[in-house]
Amino acid sequence: MRFEGTAAYVADKDLMVAVNAAIALERPLLVKGEPGTGKTELARQVAAALGLELIEWHVKSTTRAQQGLYEYDAVSRLRDSQLGDERFNDIRNYVKRGKLWDAFATTKKVVLLIDEIDKADIEFPNDLLQELDRMEFFVYETGETIRAAVRPIVIITSNNEKELPDAFLRRCFFHYIRFPDVETLHRIVDVHYPGIKQNLVRAALTQFYEIRDVPGLKKKPSTSEALDWIRLLVADDIAPEDLRADPKNALPKLHGALLKNEQDVHLFERLAFMARRQG
């Protein structure tokens, strides 16, 4: 069982090595990188390439580790007991399975995505150490142990918003997705927009990387934002010669797809003003 990439996802050699190493070691693959570099999509493409089911657990700031295992609805059981509902007699009716339980319960290998783990509380990763290491957990309400019959492929993504605990990192195989160079991003554009005018792509990518290199930029545009921008350029039938080669002279066309906060817009406006004064 090896991941060799897919036609819909451009994966470099190092990324494929990392995925296959995590599969061989049967350890979670922790993937970090800038937002929009394809970390979440990686899990979907690994599942598609290997013909496996994908179970997605999207972590939020309020997510607790227990929710990935199960949740016990004591309030509903109390209400049903007061109403004389027969469901009250079986406590299992009030135990809601989480995503880890779903991944452990299947008899086939699956891909489990734990997306943006750094959004949750700092204790969240530590609370999952034993479950991800031993692939089992205990349900106190029913007295049963849920144990994975087949160890899932676990892919964990992080935007590096906060440091993860050392004990958690020791149990993972780590890979950082670097921002793609111009040749790789060109390939990614070709995958998403086959048949696109190559002279437009070259001109757009030249300006895109110039924008990313502007000193003082608060949020550099990502891969997904580059794809959105190029899609808009094609939709508006922008000619390559209409794109400014130097983004310091004015705001880039359709800049709302690339610049996502007012500080960066003001930065380009100031650069344009200074360029006009010097001119």
Side-chain angles (χ1 to χ4, degrees), residues 71-276:
E71 290 184 279
Y72 172 58
D73 191 350
V75 175
S76 292
R77 191 171 190 229
L78 175 61
R79 184 189 63 240
D80 289 347
S81 69
Q82 295 170 339
L83 297 175
D85 193 315
E86 291 185 358
R87 284 169 43 88
F88 169 78
N89 296 320
D90 189 352
I91 197 171
R92 289 179 176 83
N93 292 325
Y94 306 94
V95 176
K96 180 182 178 181
R97 292 175 17 164
K99 297 298 184 180
L100 265 71
W101 190 330
D102 290 340
F104 290 1
T106 182
T107 57
K108 298 180 180 179
K109 186 175 282 292
V110 299
V111 175
L112 171 63
L113 168 64
I114 304 178
D115 197 29
E116 297 187 333
I117 194 172
D118 54 324
K119 277 188 176 182
D121 184 86
I122 189 62
E123 293 302 322
F124 181 92
N126 279 335
D127 291 342
L128 291 177
L129 285 180
Q130 179 171 314
E131 287 77 12
L132 291 177
D133 195 28
R134 300 176 60 181
M135 286 292 158
E136 66 178 38
F137 62 91
F138 185 72
V139 182
Y140 293 93
E141 287 75 11
T142 63
E144 60 183 328
T145 297
I146 305 301
R147 185 177 293 107
V150 181
R151 198 175 185 95
I153 298 172
V154 181
I155 297 179
I156 303 171
T157 71
S158 169
N159 288 327
N160 225 12
E161 292 184 4
K162 61 171 67 81
E163 290 294 326
L164 298 175
D166 289 344
F168 179 79
L169 295 175
R170 284 197 300 270
R171 289 165 168 81
C172 298
F173 190 93
F174 173 76
H175 182 76
Y176 183 84
I177 298 182
R178 294 180 177 85
F179 195 84
D181 56 26
V182 63
E183 292 81 8
T184 303
L185 188 51
H186 200 143
R187 289 169 54 205
I188 293 172
V189 172
D190 289 340
V191 166
H192 284 81
Y193 308 124
I196 190 174
K197 298 177 182 178
Q198 294 301 304
N199 53 350
L200 174 60
V201 175
R202 286 191 291 270
L205 292 184
T206 297
Q207 186 175 20
F208 174 77
Y209 279 94
E210 288 173 345
I211 293 170
R212 279 185 56 89
D213 290 340
V214 170
L217 201 63
K218 184 176 181 180
K219 182 191 179 304
K220 295 183 178 183
S222 67
T223 304
S224 61
E225 288 160 343
L227 294 173
D228 289 342
W229 184 54
I230 292 173
R231 180 181 177 184
L232 290 173
L233 295 178
V234 173
D236 283 9
D237 199 22
I238 302 295
E241 56 270 19
D242 292 336
L243 289 174
R244 290 182 178 271
D246 185 0
K248 297 179 182 178
N249 290 335
L251 283 167
K253 290 184 181 297
L254 301 167
H255 64 271
L258 298 175
L259 306 178
K260 296 303 178 71
N261 59 67
E262 62 276 13
Q263 293 98 320
D264 289 342
V265 173
H266 292 161
L267 171 63
F268 273 81
E269 290 174 342
R270 289 196 301 271
L271 291 173
F273 175 74
M274 293 172 60
R276 287 194 297 268

